[in-house]
Amino acid sequence: MTVRHPLASLPLRVRLVTGFVVAMTILLAGTGAFVYWRVRVDLDTALDRDLADQLAAIIPVVGADGVVDTTSSAIRLPLLQEFQTLTRSNVVLSSSLGTAADTLLTASDFRRALAGPVHVQIGALLPASPRPLRLLAAPLDGSGRAAVVVVGVQRDQRDEALRELLATLALAGFGALIIAAFVGERLAKAALAPVERYRAQASSIASGASGIRLEVPTSRDDEVTRLGHTFNDVLGALEHAMDRERRFVHDASHELRTPLTLLMTRVQLQRRRQRSVAEHEHALAELETDIADLIHLSDQLLDLGHGRDSPEQTDAAAVIRAMPLAHLGVDAQVDDGEAFVSVPAAQIRQIVSNLIANARVHGQPPIELRVRSEADVIVVSISDSGTGMSADFVGLAVERFTRADDAASRSGSGLGLAIVEAIVHRHDGELRLCSGGDHYSVHSVLSFACEHPTSGFTSTVGFRTP
């Protein structure tokens, strides 16, 4: 079961704006955190310099009994705001708040102070504490009762500055997010406006309108305009395919109507009077011939609708050499050696059989078949000595059910070359039709020379070697 993301159901513009706002929130939060950290460090550094000066001034006036001589000229008041001297048991010996005051250090802070100077914060920034302090505690030598001396300064101004900074950053960040969301929404709307226009036009096409193309600006080349051009190409290909299928259905219906009508006529004639067994057998033989023609026509239609085959490596030369070409009156010239192509053997035989049948029905003997290798291409060509095709018809010969005017009286359904073209296109090959001096290439994807007589008609098929 696929789990959908909560944002997947939202419109694309909302998702773009949401992503933009989230990215801006992260960026602004990171920038604000860095600015806050930098200012706090600077303010704490300034306080630490004052504390260091206080500590340096008070240590010399700490007596052996641990009492600070506040009358000494070394003490600079009111610079010395808070001080305490503590015994090794964390008991107050002397304090700016009086000897009855509680110690400013917790047990853990006191243990760290015995080992070396430590800075301690008292009171929270938010919510504001009534008496915030920053302390510096340092150990004394063991000559007197006092073990640790503590000096401190008020943090009121420092904390007030940081609170104002936080408020300013929050307000500025919120305003920046509002502006970013508005700008992002406008940009997303402008960027998606052509897509919405394409959607509206595509909707009219889906409702049945034909011949419509998306209005793509020619003044710029970006992702959206390239999408429009691609969609127009798809529309053109679809309309072409629909026209071909519509024409195919019409032509197939026309081709099927004649044998079906003939079958119905034969059956009706047989039922008009009593007939002998011999007459019934003759009629059944005629019906069998008509049914065989229908089956052959349906097989050809199935071949045209066949999908892409799985890759298969086939020695085309060996397959063609095994065909009964001499029995068909074909002079075959197949180069020695192997000629592997990625086409099933059955379809190679079908291509050759269709081209030979086309030459026998519409051309004149002698019929020549040649298989040769040229660079990385295997070329199969079949030539006859007939009158060929007119220049106007060569390009139409591969269309389904298309037959020249002078071929209407001959057998065939007009699907032979169409089936060959479908197989060749399916396997990325190339079909060339050459009549006299006129050359027509279907799917010009390969590079090989045309080698055939200058008169008559030649069908050439090329496949790339694997």
Side-chain angles (χ1 to χ4, degrees):
M1 180 178 178
T2 303
V3 180
R4 295 186 62 185
H5 194 275
L7 294 178
S9 59
L10 296 177
L12 178 58
R13 186 167 65 180
V14 175
R15 281 182 282 164
L16 289 174
V17 174
T18 301
F20 184 65
V21 170
V22 169
M24 287 297 298
T25 301
I26 296 174
L27 177 62
L28 291 174
T31 303
F34 175 78
V35 171
Y36 173 80
W37 171 79
R38 186 68 252 177
V39 172
R40 189 188 68 179
V41 168
D42 290 342
L43 293 176
D44 287 344
T45 301
L47 292 178
D48 290 343
R49 285 196 296 265
D50 293 341
L51 290 173
D53 292 340
Q54 290 186 34
L55 185 65
I58 199 173
I59 287 178
V61 297
V62 177
D65 56 356
V67 177
V68 177
D69 183 7
T70 57
T71 62
S72 174
S73 59
I75 301 299
R76 293 173 293 169
L77 296 175
L79 178 62
L80 186 59
Q81 297 177 0
E82 302 284 350
F83 70 87
Q84 281 185 346
T85 56
L86 307 172
T87 66
R88 289 189 174 276
S89 300
N90 197 16
V91 177
V92 177
L93 294 174
S94 177
S95 174
S96 58
L97 302 176
T99 56
D102 295 330
T103 177
L104 295 174
L105 299 181
T106 63
S108 60
D109 292 334
F110 180 75
R111 286 193 296 271
R112 290 191 298 122
L114 288 174
V118 294
H119 289 92
V120 179
Q121 299 275 24
I122 293 181
L125 177 67
L126 292 173
S129 297
R131 188 167 170 268
L133 296 174
R134 184 170 178 82
L135 308 177
L136 174 60
L140 294 174
D141 57 29
S143 60
R145 293 182 61 194
V148 173
V149 62
V150 181
V151 293
V153 293
Q154 296 285 341
R155 283 197 344 258
D156 304 74
Q157 295 181 355
R158 176 258 195 192
D159 288 2
E160 184 64 24
L162 290 179
R163 282 191 290 269
E164 290 181 359
L165 177 62
L166 286 175
T168 302
L169 290 175
L171 183 62
F174 182 75
L177 285 179
I178 296 297
I179 296 174
F182 176 77
V183 173
E185 195 275 337
R186 295 290 93 187
L187 290 176
K189 183 177 180 180
L192 295 176
V195 179
E196 176 61 21
R197 186 172 66 252
Y198 293 166
R199 187 207 60 77
Q201 294 174 340
S203 177
S204 64
I205 295 172
S207 63
S210 60
I212 298 178
R213 294 294 183 270
L214 303 183
E215 298 177 2
V216 183
T218 58
S219 58
R220 66 176 188 272
D221 181 23
D222 54 26
E223 293 81 357
V224 177
T225 57
R226 288 195 291 271
L227 173 65
H229 289 304
T230 302
F231 197 80
N232 283 338
D233 293 340
V234 172
L235 287 176
L238 286 176
E239 287 189 359
H240 178 68
M242 290 178 63
D243 289 340
R244 288 192 61 184
E245 294 304 318
R246 192 179 297 110
R247 188 169 62 254
F248 169 73
V249 172
H250 177 269
D251 293 340
S253 301
H254 177 74
E255 292 293 328
L256 289 171
R257 183 183 296 112
T258 299
L260 289 174
T261 303
L262 183 59
L263 278 174
M264 179 61 70
T265 302
R266 292 185 189 279
V267 172
Q268 291 174 347
L269 288 174
Q270 291 300 311
R271 298 180 61 184
R272 294 180 66 175
R273 65 179 178 85
Q274 292 185 350
R275 298 179 182 274
S276 64
V277 174
E279 289 175 331
H280 279 302
E281 290 182 350
H282 179 71
L284 289 174
E286 291 179 340
L287 291 175
E288 184 180 12
T289 301
D290 294 337
I291 293 173
D293 292 339
L294 278 174
I295 293 175
H296 179 66
L297 181 59
S298 64
D299 289 339
Q300 288 181 314
L301 294 175
L302 289 175
D303 290 335
L304 282 173
H306 194 270
R308 177 172 289 275
D309 302 279
S310 58
E312 178 180 335
Q313 304 297 320
T314 305
D315 185 357
V319 172
I320 295 175
R321 280 194 292 264
M323 296 179 66
L325 300 177
H327 177 72
L328 298 174
V330 178
D331 180 15
Q333 301 179 25
V334 182
D335 292 348
D336 295 333
E338 299 176 337
F340 282 96
V341 293
S342 298
V343 185
Q347 296 193 0
I348 293 176
R349 286 191 290 269
Q350 187 173 24
I351 290 174
V352 175
S353 298
N354 283 17
L355 294 181
I356 291 176
N358 188 71
R360 294 181 64 188
V361 172
H362 304 290
Q364 295 179 3
I367 299 174
E368 298 181 353
L369 181 148
R370 183 179 178 187
V371 180
R372 58 187 173 87
S373 299
E374 181 176 326
D376 60 344
V377 179
I378 302 300
V379 182
V380 180
S381 59
I382 297 175
S383 304
D384 64 70
S385 301
T387 57
M389 301 179 183
S390 64
D392 296 335
F393 187 75
V394 171
L396 303 175
V398 296
E399 297 290 335
R400 301 168 182 178
F401 300 109
T402 302
R403 305 178 69 186
D405 294 337
D406 58 353
S409 60
R410 295 192 287 268
S411 61
S413 59
L415 289 175
L417 287 178
I419 293 174
V420 172
E421 186 272 337
I423 297 174
V424 171
H425 178 60
R426 190 182 306 151
H427 296 283
D428 300 322
E430 181 175 339
L431 171 63
R432 293 184 187 177
L433 304 178
C434 305
S435 180
D438 299 315
H439 298 257
Y440 178 76
S441 178
V442 185
H443 312 301
S444 301
V445 295
L446 303 177
S447 177
F448 59 88
C450 283
E451 297 181 3
H452 52 73
T454 56
S455 61
F457 182 79
T458 300
S459 305
T460 304
V461 174
F463 291 108
R464 186 176 285 106
T465 57

